[in-house]
């Protein structure tokens, strides 16, 4: 299922409890997963047993599993700060920690690059390649 904003609805069994349907819905609508689960269980307990169960099983069978390449992309996506409790994202403190970790990783890569470029081996390889 695709929407106008380019996102696709998948189920996410890796972060799900049963089949990943609630987790997939939470990702799609940018909600916290726990909130979608609480809503589903609340409707189930308040008398919507048949409806919620049928919808859950139907989505379980219809929705594709989230591809691993999308999961990998989400690992390196922009850090989103949570503005409301129900909204998906990170608290500001966690976001700051993640940004710091990303910058440290970039700094380590830059140090290795500088080390390689300033080494004698780099200069020697460049001279050999120019022959």
């Amino acid at each position: 299922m695709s929407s106008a904003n380019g996102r696709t609805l998948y189920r996410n069994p890796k972060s799900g409890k049963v089949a990943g349907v609630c987790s997939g819905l939470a990702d799609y609508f940018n909600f916290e997963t726990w909130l979608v689960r609480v809503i589903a269980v609340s409707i189930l307990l308040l008398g919507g047993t048949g409806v919620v169960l049928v919808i859950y099983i139907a989505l379980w069978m219809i929705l594709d599993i989230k591809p691993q390449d999308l999961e990998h992309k989400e690992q390196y996506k922009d850090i989103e700060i949570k503005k409301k409790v129900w909204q998906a994202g990170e608290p500001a403190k966690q976001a700051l920690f993640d940004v710091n970790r990303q910058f440290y990783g970039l700094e380590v890569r830059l140090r290795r690059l500088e080390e390689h470029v300033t080494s004698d081996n780099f200069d020697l390889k460049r001279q050999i390649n120019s022959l």
Side-chain angles (χ1 to χ4, degrees), residues 7 17 32 107:
R7 291 187 301 179
K17 297 292 183 189
E32 287 287 339
E107 182 182 355

Side-chain angles (χ1 to χ4, degrees), residues 30-32 35 81-90:
N30 197 28
F31 289 147
E32 287 287 339
L35 180 64
I81 296 178
K82 188 185 280 198
K83 295 177 182 86
K84 297 186 175 30
V85 174
W86 52 265
Q87 202 173 26
E90 295 181 308

Side-chain angles (χ1 to χ4, degrees), residues 17-74:
K17 297 292 183 189
V18 178
V21 172
C22 290
S23 177
L25 288 170
D27 285 346
Y28 184 77
F29 291 110
N30 197 28
F31 289 147
E32 287 287 339
T33 305
W34 64 266
L35 180 64
V36 176
R37 288 180 185 141
V38 166
I39 291 170
V41 169
S42 298
I43 294 172
L44 184 72
L45 295 176
L46 294 175
T49 306
V51 174
V52 170
L53 206 53
V54 168
I55 291 173
Y56 190 90
I57 292 171
L59 288 174
W60 185 351
M61 296 162 105
I62 293 169
L63 295 179
D64 293 329
I65 294 175
K66 189 174 197 174
Q68 285 192 356
D69 60 331
L70 288 178
E71 290 176 14
H72 182 70
K73 285 179 185 176
E74 284 186 1

